Amino acid sequence: MRSDSVKTGTAQAPHRSLFNALGYTEEERSRPLIGIVCSYNEIVPGHMNLDKIAEAVKMGVAMAGGTPIMFPAIAVCDGIAMGHVGMKYSLVTRDLIADSTECMALAHGFDGLVCIPNCDKNVPGLLMAAARVNIPTVFVSGGPMLAGRVKGQKRSLSSMFEAVGSVSAGTMTMEELCEFEEKVCPTCGSCSGMYTANSMNCLTEAIGMGLKGNGTIPAVYSERIRLAKHAGMKIMELVEKDIKPRDIMTENAFLNALTVDMALGCSTNSMLHLPAIAREAGVDLSLDIANELSARTPNLCHLAPAGPTYMEDLNEAGGVYAVMNELTKKNLLHLDCMTVNGTTIGENIRDCRNLNPEVIRPVEQPYSETGGIAILKGNLAPDSGVVKRSAVVPEMLVHQGPARVFDCEEDAIAAIKGGRIMAGDVVVIRYEGPKGGPGMREMLNPTSAIAGMGLGSSVALITDGRFSGASRGASIGHVSPEAAVGGPIALVEEGDIIQINIPENKLDVLVSDQEMARRRAAWQPKKSEVTGYLKRYRELVTSGNQGAVLELPKRERSL
């Protein structure tokens, strides 16, 4: 066993004395040591129940003959961090989570890991760590929140942010806003739409690292506790068979994940996280393949914010496996990929049926013949821009309008709420990329303000930052190269005409090459003063089209 390095042999007598200090018996030490990476805390609604999940996992491990040992991972609530300096610290935690988990797992000689994340950066951060450490690992999340209900309609956090915009527009009263505030987030769990947290948890099933239902069983269901116990038991099988994350997270597994992403209409943040996870697994996953997969993958689900259905509805309709089974009708998946079940994707989904064609469209009757995400390129985004196509109204799929340029999120929000943005405008928010922010803030506040002001079908937003999975509309993020490194988005001026063509995957500013060259010659970089972790992050982070991963500067890599 891998844990022999900390418990077996004469030289390990000091180690055993420390296990004695922890209260472990000789019987417990003799069993495989399983690290339980738990993201429990008391500030994230999706994580407040993870102590219960961890206890269930520990019971499953013990029942199957292992010794569970819990240690923590941090988590930031993107909703609470939204719209202020806190959002600079959201994406950056992904690497802190991966690094700290690597340290704990390898320092203590664990034989296997059970990862218990739920929200946003914790799932990709722990998947990165799993690929990096490469010891048997299984994922079990805390599960999604139930949808709220306001005046008989299901609602979620995106409704809350849009309601603020509606108050600014005078179309909602403060009393109505208070009702939303009380009702849209009724339970613990990751927010109830197909936002980033639920997107990534669903993709753990598609990529083979989570058991059936991991992405969709609601947090408050007892079925979630049973799933956690099964995950604890399953890790013991993986340890016995020595099935490791890199046996599961192969190139074809990532292609499966991208395909399911397109069918579900996942958050655009998956286009940051999947390449970053793949990199740790030794797989080169270029975003260039995303449009190719999208072109042949039908979009089968319109969960909030793209439509009126929620994670609980997807769960009742058969979940991720039912969606995957629909995709097999067009031979869109690699069915021979191994999973944490110890069986293949094909074996796992064989008998999983679509129980509600209103929630999961049959593959013959999709919402669209193309996938939920599109990668755009053009002279405004030479490397890439990302849009959640499934959440864009038809009239905004092709749009042309004047640029309204802002060098930070706060200035854009003030202009939107101040009534200075008009129908037809293209709001450009720059210097919010991985380096420029730093931290690549999510832009849920401005997108929600646009929607709440009644401009969602007539105003586009383009940024080198990124969007919450709760954003909807013609919201194009991850524009690369970013403004901070002199990307073309830094050269856009007020009133320039911007042309968006999502069906043709194009994003251009209608300015001549000669004029852009003149502007480039006069451009001066803008760099805000930061300290601490953000300063180190800015120096090491790469572009959004590379997954915003951390790399040593070239001069250091060559040493």
Side-chain angles (χ1 to χ4, degrees):
M1 290 188 288
R2 293 176 178 84
S3 57
D4 286 345
S5 62
V6 298
K7 66 185 186 183
T8 301
T10 303
Q12 279 66 41
H15 305 65
R16 291 193 294 275
S17 71
L18 293 168
F19 276 96
N20 289 337
L22 287 161
Y24 288 109
T25 65
E26 183 178 348
E27 291 82 2
E28 287 173 303
R29 287 200 315 267
S30 68
R31 298 170 179 172
L33 303 184
I34 305 300
I36 313 298
V37 194
C38 182
S39 301
Y40 167 78
N41 65 38
E42 295 180 341
I43 189 63
V44 184
H47 290 230
M48 62 179 286
N49 65 322
L50 296 191
D51 55 339
K52 308 297 188 299
I53 300 296
E55 288 302 316
V57 169
K58 290 169 70 175
M59 184 174 291
V61 170
M63 285 192 295
T67 297
I69 303 174
M70 188 169 68
F71 64 90
I74 64 168
V76 164
C77 177
D78 278 20
I80 294 174
M82 194 71 66
H84 59 96
V85 68
M87 182 46 68
K88 293 178 184 287
Y89 287 90
S90 173
L91 178 61
V92 305
T93 64
R94 186 186 70 182
D95 296 275
L96 288 173
I97 292 161
D99 292 348
S100 59
T101 302
E102 173 195 355
C103 293
M104 290 294 289
L106 295 182
H108 299 102
F110 290 120
D111 296 295
L113 295 173
V114 180
C115 294
I116 309 176
N118 207 23
C119 293
D120 292 76
K121 311 313 162 301
N122 291 76
V123 186
L126 289 176
L127 282 167
M128 289 165 69
R132 194 185 296 174
V133 173
N134 202 35
I135 62 175
T137 304
V138 63
F139 275 65
V140 57
S141 77
M145 184 184 290
L146 293 178
R149 284 168 172 76
V150 182
K151 293 181 172 57
Q153 290 187 315
K154 287 185 178 181
R155 298 290 188 179
S156 63
L157 185 64
S158 55
S159 306
M160 190 72 252
F161 278 90
E162 291 178 15
V164 174
S166 297
V167 170
S168 298
T171 58
M172 179 180 284
T173 66
M174 284 300 300
E175 290 76 14
E176 290 171 318
L177 180 70
C178 289
E179 183 180 7
F180 270 69
E181 186 178 330
E182 291 294 325
K183 295 180 178 178
V184 296
C185 295
T187 73
C188 65
S190 49
C191 296
S192 56
M194 187 54 81
Y195 309 153
T196 306
N198 292 324
S199 294
M200 294 309 302
N201 280 320
C202 286
L203 294 183
T204 64
E205 294 188 56
I207 209 168
M209 291 296 292
L211 300 176
K212 179 185 177 185
N214 185 51
T216 59
I217 298 170
V220 294
Y221 284 13
S222 297
E223 185 182 358
R224 174 65 55 180
I225 299 296
R226 299 198 300 272
L227 178 72
K229 291 176 181 176
H230 283 131
M233 290 184 272
K234 187 60 66 176
I235 189 60
M236 299 308 297
E237 290 182 29
L238 295 175
V239 168
E240 181 182 354
K241 297 176 181 177
D242 199 29
I243 298 175
K244 299 184 288 295
R246 291 191 189 184
D247 300 323
I248 294 169
M249 291 193 282
T250 62
E251 181 177 358
N252 283 343
F254 282 101
L255 296 179
N256 281 346
L258 271 173
T259 300
V260 174
D261 187 320
M262 297 297 175
L264 287 172
C266 289
S267 164
T268 53
N269 280 316
S270 63
M271 295 297 105
L272 278 178
H273 299 322
L274 287 175
I277 299 161
R279 183 174 182 265
E280 298 290 355
V283 174
D284 182 15
L285 187 68
S286 169
L287 289 188
D288 290 340
I289 199 170
N291 285 338
E292 179 184 330
L293 291 175
S294 180
R296 62 174 184 259
T297 304
N299 177 226
L300 304 182
C301 299
H302 264 192
L303 291 107
T309 54
Y310 293 81
M311 295 305 297
E312 62 202 66
D313 303 311
L314 178 60
N315 186 62
E316 291 169 11
V320 176
Y321 277 15
V323 173
M324 295 175 75
N325 200 23
E326 285 288 344
L327 295 175
T328 63
K329 297 174 183 178
K330 294 188 73 171
N331 297 315
L332 293 173
L333 297 177
H334 298 275
L335 299 179
D336 58 348
C337 289
M338 179 55 63
T339 72
V340 290
N341 287 294
T343 51
T344 66
I345 285 287
E347 292 171 308
N348 291 349
I349 68 175
R350 183 178 297 142
D351 298 321
C352 297
R353 299 288 176 253
N354 181 357
L355 304 178
N356 188 342
E358 297 301 312
V359 176
I360 304 172
R361 288 279 185 90
V363 75
E364 304 85 3
Q365 298 174 310
Y367 282 101
S368 66
E369 294 292 342
T370 53
I373 289 178
I375 307 299
L376 311 184
K377 291 189 177 185
N379 71 346
L380 185 53
D383 291 338
S384 67
V386 182
V387 64
K388 188 170 183 175
R389 173 165 43 195
S390 59
V392 180
V393 294
E395 55 266 37
M396 289 297 290
L397 290 171
V398 177
H399 180 75
Q400 181 170 301
R404 304 299 307 280
V405 183
F406 305 93
D407 287 346
C408 68
E409 176 188 7
E410 289 82 357
D411 290 350
I413 292 171
I416 296 165
K417 291 185 176 179
R420 303 200 304 273
I421 302 302
M422 305 299 172
D425 286 347
V426 178
V427 175
V428 176
I429 305 177
R430 60 192 180 190
Y431 295 101
E432 291 284 8
K435 287 184 180 294
M440 205 178 184
R441 289 196 287 181
E442 289 186 343
M443 301 290 156
L444 179 57
N445 271 353
T447 59
S448 297
I450 287 169
M453 297 284 285
L455 298 171
S457 60
S458 60
V459 170
L461 193 154
I462 296 172
T463 180
D464 52 7
R466 58 196 180 92
F467 295 109
S468 164
S471 293
R472 62 187 176 98
S475 304
I476 301 165
H478 308 196
V479 169
S480 303
E482 62 173 296
V485 298
I489 191 171
L491 310 179
V492 176
E493 295 182 357
E494 186 82 6
D496 285 349
I497 301 300
I498 292 178
Q499 193 173 71
I500 301 165
N501 191 322
I502 295 173
E504 295 185 8
N505 304 313
K506 292 180 179 179
L507 179 61
D508 293 292
V509 56
L510 301 186
V511 175
S512 70
D513 292 345
Q514 293 82 0
E515 173 60 16
M516 290 295 273
R518 184 194 67 77
R519 294 179 187 180
R520 181 173 300 284
W523 175 74
Q524 294 292 325
K526 296 182 180 181
K527 196 172 185 180
S528 57
E529 287 299 319
V530 291
T531 60
Y533 182 57
L534 288 182
K535 184 175 182 179
R536 299 199 303 274
Y537 185 85
R538 169 182 275 168
E539 292 302 316
L540 299 177
V541 71
T542 62
S543 175
N545 73 306
Q546 298 176 46
V549 297
L550 303 187
E551 275 189 352
L552 289 173
K554 289 181 180 179
R555 64 181 183 278
E556 294 183 36
R557 292 204 304 269
S558 64
L559 294 179

